[in-house]
Amino acid sequence: MTTPHSLDQAIALSATGPHTYSGATSPAYGNMVGPFGGVTAATVMQAVMLHPERLGEPISLTVNYAAALADGPFTLTARPVRTNRSTQHWLLEITQPDAKGMPATVLTATAVTAVRRETWSVDDEPMPVVPAPDGVPRANMAPQVAWPRRYAMRFITGAIPERWDGQGDSSLLQMWVRDEPGRVLDFPGLTALADVFYPRVWLRRARPVPTGTVSMTVYFHAGPAQLAATGRGWLLAQARGQVFRNGFFDQTAQLWNEAGLLLATTHQIVYYKE
Amino acid sequence: MTTPHSLDQAIALSATGPHTYSGATSPAYGNMVGPFGGVTAATVMQAVMLHPERLGEPISLTVNYAAALADGPFTLTARPVRTNRSTQHWLLEITQPDAKGMPATVLTATAVTAVRRETWSVDDEPMPVVPAPDGVPRANMAPQVAWPRRYAMRFITGAIPERWDGQGDSSLLQMWVRDEPGRVLDFPGLTALADVFYPRVWLRRARPVPTGTVSMTVYFHAGPAQLAATGRGWLLAQARGQVFRNGFFDQTAQLWNEAGLLLATTHQIVYYKE
């Protein structure tokens, strides 16, 4: 018997009712406060994937981080609120007990799944021309938190600043990235990778101010077969901010597989201090 | 007494309980089936704006169109599910009676509001260099549905194809747009404008296939004073698709005011047939 991948351990859920699961945060994906938000989003996606009433495959997911998830157990509810002929709409929530032991909302999410059919298709955002993964040095990071060690990152542009001198001029990041150790790509894995970028404002300002993602949306453009074919390969991940204003910035990002297929486009809005 | 603007009539809500409102679709914003989705999203935003427990101003809104809204009355619930010191998370839903008279979910939404503070800020997506509104001819449209007549549109690039010859090669649209007649910009008005683009796949393919927005997210980068200062002026609206694959395409879009301030960034995932 082999040990499950650390991501599969982190997103493991036990059904406790028709629409209810219990889970627990994983120290392997620890962040400054609580867990890496990408793994929390992946856990939400996992609930959808596990649900016996699911119709089709993921099309979109929006996760709102309502409060810092405390390290430890949590309750996740996943409810299909509308099932049509080929699309299904989901409402999801994570709760943890508050100071009085009452369940308090720490995350809300919505998701759409659908039965996809083959149609006319085109990629209009071609993968940028970049050096192959082998030609890009591995990032020499000594992260103070656990989760970045769960990913191999090779920065093409926009590596974490070596000097926090306030002299940044661009928020563009491009990197090759994959789970470490390797893991065959699936929807929870891709969901976590959608949040793999360190905060855009750190790069844009070359200043590590406190930040926290408030809401993240992922659009899935690939089916299960395309994810499985991507396997344990590298993804090209690109992210940039469009506007930083009065405490919140946005991030727009894309994830391609090595063959150049755009697997997911994703956006988030992030709080920053100062 | 002056007649309210058609948008204010369309998004009008009556409180029927602590978190419940009743509204009705407006023929002035009719679409092929049911109302223009932008006005439905604006109505959701209006519920947040009206709610007596609201903290701060809108930061993000995600609206999931779970089913076609039928013309007529609907019930909107708006519930703050988590209120922190400076941010607040909302869960919203629109229901209409199903065939048996039971409330059925036709829309789900989440929103975040926050108290914003002045911080270091920068616009990293500058407004494209385009001709001023006066230098762009007014679109000569004869729409078969009502809602486009509620907006003045001046297409810079990406006008609705004159020939549906299947020879499209780009999904980029840039236009000056504003309510018609003019209306001082506010959060519901800006929310509706985030959905003002005709379907990207029509332009990309030069083929008017059936489409329907599945999920839309809007990030708000301006405060009430900046919206009020924008007044009845033109917005530069830009949209493009990144990927069209197997029945769903995404749209990434920006809305600047005439002074060049990026007011909102917005994304959606849209179903298309064939």
Side-chain angles (χ1 to χ4, degrees):
Chain A
M1 193 179 143
T2 55
T3 309
H5 191 280
S6 55
L7 185 65
D8 293 293
Q9 294 182 47
I11 66 173
L13 293 169
S14 308
T16 54
H19 303 292
T20 318
Y21 299 87
S22 68
T25 60
S26 164
Y29 289 87
N31 205 350
M32 306 271 199
V33 179
F36 167 46
V39 159
T40 307
T43 308
V44 170
M45 175 54 73
Q46 176 71 349
V48 173
M49 298 311 290
L50 288 176
H51 200 291
E53 294 173 32
R54 175 170 54 88
L55 175 76
E57 55 200 74
I59 298 294
S60 82
L61 172 71
T62 295
V63 173
N64 304 289
Y65 299 94
L69 199 63
D71 288 320
F74 55 79
T75 299
L76 200 167
T77 59
R79 199 176 292 272
V81 292
R82 177 91 190 200
T83 302
N84 300 312
R85 199 162 48 90
S86 64
T87 61
Q88 188 173 46
H89 286 256
W90 295 81
L91 213 51
L92 304 108
E93 190 179 26
I94 294 181
T95 61
Q96 287 186 316
D98 66 11
K100 291 174 188 160
M102 297 296 290
T105 301
V106 293
L107 178 145
T108 64
T110 57
V112 181
T113 55
V115 179
R116 302 188 78 155
R117 293 182 180 88
E118 217 167 288
T119 65
W120 174 91
S121 297
V122 69
D123 274 31
D124 254 7
E125 184 71 30
M127 184 163 75
V129 178
V130 297
D134 284 352
V136 181
R138 187 166 176 169
N140 187 10
M141 292 193 297
Q144 293 172 3
V145 295
W147 77 263
R149 287 176 236 142
R150 305 286 88 79
Y151 293 96
M153 303 184 193
R154 296 182 175 209
F155 288 97
I156 297 154
T157 190
I160 295 178
E162 293 184 8
R163 280 184 305 278
W164 299 109
D165 58 5
Q167 299 296 306
D169 59 7
S170 166
S171 70
L172 177 67
L173 180 157
Q174 294 176 326
M175 67 174 160
W176 291 107
V177 64
R178 59 170 176 74
D179 288 281
E180 179 66 51
R183 179 177 177 279
V184 175
L185 197 63
D186 60 6
F187 287 103
L190 184 54
T191 300
L193 282 158
D195 192 38
V196 77
F197 310 94
Y198 74 93
R200 298 303 75 222
V201 71
W202 292 11
L203 178 60
R204 183 61 181 81
R205 298 178 72 177
R207 192 170 168 203
V209 295
T211 66
T213 298
V214 170
S215 182
M216 173 170 77
T217 290
V218 189
Y219 297 149
F220 299 93
H221 304 295
Q226 291 167 314
L227 298 188
T230 301
R232 295 180 177 81
W234 293 96
L235 302 190
L236 181 68
Q238 172 175 276
R240 63 190 183 86
Q242 298 182 103
V243 55
F244 305 74
R245 195 174 305 142
N246 292 345
F248 294 89
F249 69 86
D250 74 343
Q251 170 178 286
T252 177
Q254 298 88 18
L255 294 150
W256 293 265
N257 69 11
E258 243 185 296
L261 196 73
L262 187 45
L263 302 175
T265 49
T266 177
H267 313 94
Q268 54 180 267
I269 186 109
V270 183
Y271 163 80
Y272 66 98
K273 200 170 171 179
E274 297 165 33
Chain B
M1 192 177 147
T2 56
T3 309
H5 191 280
S6 54
L7 185 66
D8 293 294
Q9 295 182 44
I11 66 173
L13 292 170
S14 309
T16 54
H19 303 293
T20 317
Y21 298 87
S22 68
T25 61
S26 164
Y29 288 88
N31 204 351
M32 306 269 199
V33 179
F36 168 46
V39 158
T40 308
T43 309
V44 169
M45 175 54 73
Q46 176 71 350
V48 173
M49 298 311 289
L50 289 175
H51 201 291
E53 294 174 31
R54 175 169 55 88
L55 176 75
E57 56 199 72
I59 297 296
S60 82
L61 172 71
T62 295
V63 173
N64 304 288
Y65 299 94
L69 199 64
D71 287 319
F74 56 79
T75 299
L76 201 168
T77 59
R79 200 176 290 273
V81 291
R82 177 92 189 199
T83 302
N84 300 311
R85 198 163 47 91
S86 64
T87 62
Q88 188 174 46
H89 285 258
W90 296 81
L91 213 51
L92 304 107
E93 190 179 25
I94 293 180
T95 61
Q96 286 186 318
D98 66 11
K100 294 174 187 160
M102 298 294 291
T105 301
V106 294
L107 178 145
T108 64
T110 56
V112 181
T113 55
V115 178
R116 302 188 79 156
R117 292 182 180 86
E118 216 168 289
T119 66
W120 173 90
S121 298
V122 70
D123 273 30
D124 254 7
E125 184 71 30
M127 183 163 75
V129 177
V130 296
D134 283 352
V136 181
R138 189 170 175 163
N140 187 9
M141 294 194 296
Q144 293 172 3
V145 294
W147 77 263
R149 285 176 237 144
R150 304 286 88 78
Y151 293 97
M153 302 185 193
R154 298 183 173 209
F155 288 97
I156 297 153
T157 190
I160 294 178
E162 293 184 7
R163 281 184 303 277
W164 298 109
D165 58 5
Q167 299 297 306
D169 59 6
S170 165
S171 70
L172 178 66
L173 180 157
Q174 294 177 327
M175 67 174 160
W176 291 108
V177 64
R178 59 169 174 74
D179 288 280
E180 179 65 51
R183 179 177 177 278
V184 174
L185 198 63
D186 59 7
F187 287 104
L190 185 55
T191 299
L193 282 158
D195 193 37
V196 78
F197 310 94
Y198 75 92
R200 297 306 71 229
V201 71
W202 292 10
L203 178 60
R204 183 61 182 79
R205 297 178 72 176
R207 193 170 168 205
V209 296
T211 65
T213 298
V214 170
S215 183
M216 173 170 78
T217 291
V218 188
Y219 297 149
F220 300 94
H221 303 296
Q226 290 166 316
L227 298 189
T230 300
R232 296 179 177 81
W234 293 94
L235 301 191
L236 181 68
Q238 173 175 277
R240 63 190 184 87
Q242 298 182 102
V243 56
F244 304 75
R245 195 174 304 142
N246 293 342
F248 295 89
F249 69 86
D250 74 342
Q251 170 178 285
T252 177
Q254 297 88 19
L255 295 151
W256 293 265
N257 69 11
E258 240 185 298
L261 196 73
L262 187 45
L263 301 176
T265 52
T266 176
H267 312 93
Q268 55 180 267
I269 185 110
V270 183
Y271 163 80
Y272 66 98
K273 201 171 172 178
E274 300 165 30

